C-alpha cells in the first residue's frame, strides 16, 4: 500500500494525542483554580467556568467560534456519511427502482432525522462521562467488523449485521432500557448485590448504585439505580468471580467485555453462515494490496492486472494458504513502525514532563 494512504491518518492520530495533552493542561489549570471554597459542585462545568473567568469578551467569542466550526465540520461529514450509508445500503435495496431524485430526497430527510436523534441523545445525557461511555461502547462493534473486513476472508455479511445488532442490544440498549421496561429488575435480590469496600463501606455490583427503597426506613428493601451492568452479570453467570474485583477493575472489565464480545459474535456467526462470493473476496483483497499508481493511467493498469489475477499478491501473505490476510513487513513498514513508536514515546514524555512540572 502506498505510504500516502497511511500518512494522513497517522499524522491526524498523533495530532489528536497532542490535543489531549493540551486538554490535560486545561484540567490541571482547573484543579489549581477550583480548590477548597472555590471548588465546583459539578465537574462538568469546569470548562465553561474557566472560559468565563479567564477569557475576555473577544477571546470568549473566538473560542466559541472555533468550537462551533470544529464540531460543525465533523458532524456535517459524519451525518453525510451515515445518510449515504442508510440510503445506499438500506433504502436502495428495499426500493431498487427508486430514482436518483428520490434517493437524494431520502438522503436529505435522513440527515434531518439523524441530527434530531443526536440532539435527543445529547439532551438525555447526564454528564460528560456518560457521553464518553456511550461513544466508546457504541463504536466497538463497527470497529471490530471493519478490522476483520481487512484481515479475515471468512467474514460474512450476516455476521457483521449480527455483531452490530447483538452488541448494541447487550452493551447499550438492554442495560439502559431493561430496568425501566421491567422495574422489578431493580428490586431483584440477584441484581442488587453489594460488595464490601476496604474502608467498611459497600459498592453496588450490577447497578451504578444501590439504595433503600424507603430512605427513611433502613430496613426497607434495597433497589438498584442507574445503568444495569449486564456485562458483569453475564460474566458472573458463566462463573467469573466479578465480586472479587475492586470497583476500578470491574469498570475496566466491562469495557474488556464490550471489546471482545463483538469479535465472538463475528467469528461464530461467520462459521455458520454463507461466505461471500470467492471472486469478490479475491478482488477486494487484491485491490487493498495494489499500490497506488504515480498517475491515473498507471493505477488503472495496476488495477486491471489485479482484476485479471486477484491472487498475484499472495506471496506477501504472512500465513500462506490461510484465510488471514496479514502481510509480511517490508522496509517501509518497519521504518514507519519504528518512527511511530518513537513519536508515541516522545508524546508520552512530553505529558510526563508536564505532570512533573504541575506536581512541583
Amino acid at each position: 500500500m502506498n505510504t500516502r494512504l497511511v500518512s494522513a491518518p497517522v499524522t491526524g492520530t498523533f495530532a489528536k494525542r497532542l490535543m489531549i495533552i493540551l486538554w490535560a493542561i486545561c484540567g490541571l489549570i482547573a484543579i489549581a483554580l477550583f480548590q477548597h471554597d472555590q471548588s465546583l459542585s459539578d465537574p462538568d462545568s469546569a470548562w465553561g467556568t474557566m472560559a468565563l473567568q479567564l477569557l475576555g469578551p473577544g477571546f470568549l467569542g473566538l473560542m466559541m467560534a472555533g468550537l462551533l466550526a470544529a464540531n460543525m465540520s465533523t458532524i456535517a461529514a459524519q451525518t453525510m456519511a451515515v445518510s449515504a450509508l442508510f440510503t445506499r445500503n438500506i433504502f436502495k435495496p428495499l426500493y431498487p427502482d427508486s430514482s436518483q431524485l428520490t434517493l437524494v430526497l431520502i438522503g436529505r430527510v435522513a440527515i434531518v432525522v439523524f441530527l434530531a436523534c443526536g440532539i435527543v441523545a445529547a439532551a438525555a445525557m447526564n454528564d460528560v462521562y456518560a457521553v464518553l461511555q456511550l461513544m466508546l461502547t457504541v463504536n466497538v462493534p463497527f470497529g471490530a467488523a471493519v478490522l476483520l473486513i481487512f484481515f479475515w476472508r471468512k467474514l460474512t455479511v450476516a455476521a457483521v449485521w449480527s455483531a452490530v445488532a447483538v452488541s448494541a442490544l447487550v452493551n447499550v440498549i438492554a442495560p439502559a432500557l431493561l430496568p425501566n421496561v421491567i422495574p422489578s429488575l431493580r428490586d431483584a435480590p440477584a441484581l442488587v448485590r453489594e460488595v464490601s469496600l476496604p474502608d467498611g463501606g459497600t459498592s453496588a455490583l450490577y447497578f451504578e448504585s444501590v439504595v433503600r427503597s424507603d430512605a427513611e426506613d433502613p430496613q426497607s428493601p434495597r433497589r438498584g439505580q442507574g445503568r444495569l451492568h449486564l456485562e458483569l452479570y453475564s460474566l458472573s453467570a458463566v462463573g467469573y468471580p466479578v465480586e472479587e474485583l475492586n470497583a476500578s477493575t470491574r469498570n475496566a472489565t466491562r469495557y474488556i467485555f464490550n471489546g471482545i464480545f463483538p469479535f465472538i459474535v463475528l467469528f461464530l456467526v461467520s462459521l455458520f453462515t454463507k461466505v461471500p462470493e470467492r471472486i469478490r473476496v479475491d478482488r477486494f483483497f487484491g485491490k487493498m494490496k495494489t499500490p497506488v499508481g504515480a498517475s491515473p493511467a498507471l493505477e488503472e493498469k495496476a488495477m486491471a492486472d489485479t482484476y485479471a489475477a486477484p491472487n498475484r499478491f499472495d506471496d506477501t501473505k504472512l500465513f500462506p494458504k490461510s484465510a488471514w490476510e496479514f502481510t509480511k513487513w517490508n522496509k517501509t513498514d518497519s521504518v514507519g513502525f519504528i518512527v511511530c513508536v518513537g513519536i508515541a514515546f516522545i508524546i508520552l514524555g512530553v505529558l510526563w514532563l508536564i505532570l512533573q512540572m504541575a506536581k512541583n
Side-chain angles (χ1 to χ4, degrees), residues 132-154:
L132 292 175
Q133 284 183 307
L134 180 62
M135 291 176 60
L136 290 173
T137 306
V138 169
N139 289 330
V140 168
F142 296 97
V146 170
L147 181 64
L148 285 185
I149 282 174
F150 289 106
F151 292 107
W152 195 41
R153 283 177 164 265
K154 294 184 178 181

Side-chain angles (χ1 to χ4, degrees), residues 248-261:
S248 60
T249 306
R250 288 200 302 272
N251 191 45
T253 302
R254 285 172 45 207
Y255 290 110
I256 294 174
F257 178 93
N258 293 337
I260 295 177
F261 183 73

